[in-house]
Short mmCIF file of all heavy atoms in Angstrom, two decimals:
data_model
loop_
_atom_site.label_atom_id
_atom_site.label_comp_id
_atom_site.label_asym_id
_atom_site.label_seq_id
_atom_site.Cartn_x
_atom_site.Cartn_y
_atom_site.Cartn_z
N ALA A 31 -10.29 11.46 3.83
CA ALA A 31 -10.87 10.73 4.95
C ALA A 31 -10.29 9.33 5.12
O ALA A 31 -10.44 8.72 6.18
CB ALA A 31 -12.39 10.64 4.78
N SER A 32 -9.64 8.79 4.09
CA SER A 32 -9.05 7.46 4.17
C SER A 32 -8.06 7.29 3.02
O SER A 32 -8.03 8.13 2.10
CB SER A 32 -10.14 6.38 4.06
OG SER A 32 -10.66 6.34 2.74
N GLY A 33 -7.31 6.22 3.07
CA GLY A 33 -6.39 5.93 1.97
C GLY A 33 -7.15 5.66 0.68
O GLY A 33 -6.78 6.12 -0.39
N LEU A 34 -8.24 4.89 0.80
CA LEU A 34 -9.02 4.59 -0.40
C LEU A 34 -9.68 5.85 -0.97
O LEU A 34 -9.86 5.97 -2.19
CB LEU A 34 -10.06 3.50 -0.12
CG LEU A 34 -9.49 2.07 -0.11
CD1 LEU A 34 -10.59 1.06 0.21
CD2 LEU A 34 -8.82 1.71 -1.43
N ALA A 35 -10.02 6.80 -0.10
CA ALA A 35 -10.59 8.07 -0.59
C ALA A 35 -9.52 8.85 -1.37
O ALA A 35 -9.83 9.46 -2.40
CB ALA A 35 -11.10 8.90 0.58
N GLN A 37 -7.06 7.55 -3.04
CA GLN A 37 -6.90 6.87 -4.33
C GLN A 37 -8.07 7.19 -5.26
O GLN A 37 -7.88 7.44 -6.45
CB GLN A 37 -6.81 5.37 -4.08
CG GLN A 37 -6.47 4.57 -5.31
CD GLN A 37 -6.01 3.19 -4.92
OE1 GLN A 37 -4.85 2.95 -4.66
NE2 GLN A 37 -6.94 2.27 -4.84
N VAL A 57 -1.36 -5.87 -4.86
CA VAL A 57 -1.77 -4.72 -4.06
C VAL A 57 -2.83 -5.13 -3.03
O VAL A 57 -3.41 -6.22 -3.09
CB VAL A 57 -2.33 -3.58 -4.95
CG1 VAL A 57 -1.23 -3.00 -5.83
CG2 VAL A 57 -3.50 -4.05 -5.80
N TYR A 58 -3.08 -4.19 -2.13
CA TYR A 58 -4.10 -4.30 -1.08
C TYR A 58 -5.44 -4.80 -1.66
O TYR A 58 -5.89 -4.31 -2.70
CB TYR A 58 -4.24 -2.89 -0.48
CG TYR A 58 -5.34 -2.67 0.48
CD1 TYR A 58 -5.45 -3.43 1.65
CD2 TYR A 58 -6.28 -1.66 0.26
CE1 TYR A 58 -6.47 -3.18 2.55
CE2 TYR A 58 -7.30 -1.40 1.17
CZ TYR A 58 -7.39 -2.17 2.31
OH TYR A 58 -8.38 -1.92 3.20
N THR A 61 -7.96 -2.24 -2.62
CA THR A 61 -7.68 -1.53 -3.87
C THR A 61 -8.20 -2.33 -5.05
O THR A 61 -8.80 -1.78 -5.98
CB THR A 61 -6.16 -1.28 -4.00
OG1 THR A 61 -5.80 -0.25 -3.09
CG2 THR A 61 -5.76 -0.88 -5.41
N GLU A 101 2.10 -0.45 -5.65
CA GLU A 101 2.48 -0.19 -4.26
C GLU A 101 3.99 -0.35 -4.13
O GLU A 101 4.56 -1.29 -4.72
CB GLU A 101 1.77 -1.17 -3.31
CG GLU A 101 0.27 -0.92 -3.28
CD GLU A 101 -0.51 -1.90 -2.38
OE1 GLU A 101 0.10 -2.80 -1.79
OE2 GLU A 101 -1.73 -1.73 -2.31
N ILE A 103 5.75 -1.38 -1.57
CA ILE A 103 5.84 -2.73 -1.01
C ILE A 103 4.43 -3.28 -1.02
O ILE A 103 3.54 -2.72 -0.38
CB ILE A 103 6.36 -2.69 0.45
CG1 ILE A 103 7.68 -1.93 0.55
CG2 ILE A 103 6.47 -4.11 1.01
CD1 ILE A 103 8.11 -1.64 1.99
N GLY A 104 4.19 -4.33 -1.78
CA GLY A 104 2.83 -4.83 -1.95
C GLY A 104 2.24 -5.40 -0.67
O GLY A 104 2.92 -6.08 0.08
N ASN A 105 0.95 -5.10 -0.45
CA ASN A 105 0.21 -5.62 0.71
C ASN A 105 -0.65 -6.79 0.24
O ASN A 105 -1.51 -6.58 -0.62
CB ASN A 105 -0.67 -4.50 1.29
CG ASN A 105 -1.56 -4.95 2.41
OD1 ASN A 105 -1.50 -6.10 2.85
ND2 ASN A 105 -2.39 -4.04 2.90
N ASP A 130 1.24 3.79 -4.29
CA ASP A 130 0.72 3.68 -2.92
C ASP A 130 1.92 3.34 -2.03
O ASP A 130 2.47 2.26 -2.08
CB ASP A 130 -0.34 2.57 -2.88
CG ASP A 130 -0.94 2.39 -1.49
OD1 ASP A 130 -0.25 2.70 -0.49
OD2 ASP A 130 -2.07 1.89 -1.40
N ASN A 131 2.32 4.32 -1.22
CA ASN A 131 3.56 4.23 -0.44
C ASN A 131 3.28 3.90 1.03
O ASN A 131 4.11 4.15 1.90
CB ASN A 131 4.31 5.57 -0.56
CG ASN A 131 5.76 5.47 -0.12
OD1 ASN A 131 6.41 4.44 -0.30
ND2 ASN A 131 6.27 6.54 0.47
N THR A 132 2.10 3.33 1.29
CA THR A 132 1.65 3.10 2.67
C THR A 132 2.62 2.24 3.47
O THR A 132 2.93 2.55 4.62
CB THR A 132 0.26 2.42 2.65
OG1 THR A 132 -0.65 3.28 1.97
CG2 THR A 132 -0.24 2.14 4.06
N PHE A 133 3.09 1.14 2.90
CA PHE A 133 3.91 0.19 3.67
C PHE A 133 5.33 0.69 3.92
O PHE A 133 5.99 0.21 4.82
CB PHE A 133 3.94 -1.18 2.96
CG PHE A 133 2.84 -2.10 3.38
CD1 PHE A 133 1.63 -1.60 3.85
CD2 PHE A 133 3.00 -3.48 3.32
CE1 PHE A 133 0.61 -2.45 4.25
CE2 PHE A 133 1.98 -4.34 3.72
CZ PHE A 133 0.79 -3.83 4.19
N VAL A 150 0.11 8.01 -3.00
CA VAL A 150 -1.02 7.86 -2.09
C VAL A 150 -0.52 7.24 -0.80
O VAL A 150 0.36 6.38 -0.82
CB VAL A 150 -2.11 6.95 -2.73
CG1 VAL A 150 -3.04 6.38 -1.68
CG2 VAL A 150 -2.92 7.73 -3.76
N GLN A 151 -1.05 7.72 0.31
CA GLN A 151 -0.75 7.13 1.61
C GLN A 151 -2.07 6.78 2.28
O GLN A 151 -2.98 7.60 2.30
CB GLN A 151 -0.03 8.13 2.52
CG GLN A 151 1.43 8.34 2.22
CD GLN A 151 2.31 7.21 2.77
OE1 GLN A 151 1.85 6.34 3.52
NE2 GLN A 151 3.56 7.23 2.38
N SER A 152 -2.16 5.58 2.85
CA SER A 152 -3.19 5.34 3.85
C SER A 152 -2.57 5.79 5.17
O SER A 152 -1.75 5.09 5.76
CB SER A 152 -3.57 3.86 3.91
OG SER A 152 -4.35 3.66 5.09
N ALA A 153 -2.94 6.99 5.60
CA ALA A 153 -2.38 7.56 6.84
C ALA A 153 -2.83 6.79 8.06
O ALA A 153 -2.29 6.94 9.15
CB ALA A 153 -2.77 9.03 6.95
N THR A 154 -3.85 5.95 7.84
CA THR A 154 -4.38 5.06 8.87
C THR A 154 -3.29 4.17 9.48
O THR A 154 -3.44 3.69 10.59
CB THR A 154 -5.44 4.15 8.18
OG1 THR A 154 -6.29 4.96 7.36
CG2 THR A 154 -6.25 3.37 9.17
N LYS A 155 -2.22 3.95 8.75
CA LYS A 155 -1.22 2.95 9.11
C LYS A 155 -0.03 3.60 9.83
O LYS A 155 -0.19 4.12 10.90
CB LYS A 155 -0.81 2.18 7.86
CG LYS A 155 -1.98 1.77 6.95
CD LYS A 155 -2.89 0.75 7.59
CE LYS A 155 -4.18 0.49 6.80
NZ LYS A 155 -4.04 0.19 5.39
N VAL A 164 -8.49 7.06 10.91
CA VAL A 164 -8.49 6.68 9.51
C VAL A 164 -8.25 7.96 8.70
O VAL A 164 -8.87 8.98 8.97
CB VAL A 164 -9.85 6.05 9.11
CG1 VAL A 164 -9.88 5.73 7.63
CG2 VAL A 164 -10.10 4.79 9.93
N GLY A 165 -7.33 7.89 7.75
CA GLY A 165 -7.05 9.07 6.94
C GLY A 165 -6.23 8.70 5.72
O GLY A 165 -5.69 7.59 5.63
N GLY A 166 -6.13 9.62 4.79
CA GLY A 166 -5.34 9.37 3.58
C GLY A 166 -4.71 10.64 3.07
O GLY A 166 -5.11 11.75 3.45
N ALA A 314 -7.02 -6.28 11.55
CA ALA A 314 -6.75 -6.09 10.12
C ALA A 314 -5.88 -4.88 9.84
O ALA A 314 -5.39 -4.70 8.74
CB ALA A 314 -8.06 -5.96 9.35
N ASN A 315 -5.66 -4.02 10.84
CA ASN A 315 -4.83 -2.83 10.62
C ASN A 315 -3.35 -3.22 10.52
O ASN A 315 -2.97 -4.34 10.88
CB ASN A 315 -5.04 -1.87 11.79
CG ASN A 315 -4.53 -0.47 11.50
OD1 ASN A 315 -4.42 -0.07 10.34
ND2 ASN A 315 -4.20 0.27 12.54
N VAL A 316 -2.56 -2.31 10.02
CA VAL A 316 -1.09 -2.48 10.06
C VAL A 316 -0.48 -1.14 10.45
O VAL A 316 -1.14 -0.10 10.42
CB VAL A 316 -0.51 -2.92 8.69
CG1 VAL A 316 -1.03 -4.26 8.26
CG2 VAL A 316 -0.76 -1.86 7.62
N ARG A 350 -0.22 -12.83 8.25
CA ARG A 350 0.45 -11.54 8.07
C ARG A 350 0.75 -10.90 9.42
O ARG A 350 -0.13 -10.82 10.28
CB ARG A 350 -0.43 -10.59 7.25
CG ARG A 350 0.33 -9.31 6.87
CD ARG A 350 -0.55 -8.28 6.20
NE ARG A 350 -1.52 -7.72 7.13
CZ ARG A 350 -2.50 -6.89 6.77
NH1 ARG A 350 -2.66 -6.57 5.51
NH2 ARG A 350 -3.34 -6.41 7.67
C1 PLP B 410 -4.94 0.06 4.33
C2 PLP B 410 -4.42 0.29 3.00
C3 PLP B 410 -5.12 1.08 2.08
C4 PLP B 410 -6.48 1.67 2.38
O1 PLP B 410 -6.40 2.61 3.36
P1 PLP B 410 -7.66 3.09 4.21
O2 PLP B 410 -7.09 4.24 4.97
O3 PLP B 410 -8.06 1.94 5.08
O4 PLP B 410 -8.71 3.46 3.24
C5 PLP B 410 -4.55 1.31 0.85
N1 PLP B 410 -3.36 0.78 0.53
C6 PLP B 410 -2.66 0.02 1.37
C7 PLP B 410 -1.36 -0.53 0.95
C8 PLP B 410 -3.17 -0.26 2.64
O5 PLP B 410 -2.47 -1.04 3.48
#
Side-chain angles (χ1 to χ4, degrees):
S32 71
L34 281 179
Q37 187 164 272
V57 294
Y58 172 58
T61 286
E101 293 178 359
I103 305 169
N105 175 4
D130 180 334
N131 196 33
T132 300
F133 270 27
V150 160
Q151 284 281 352
S152 168
T154 314
K155 316 293 171 51
V164 177
N315 195 24
V316 298
R350 188 186 69 187

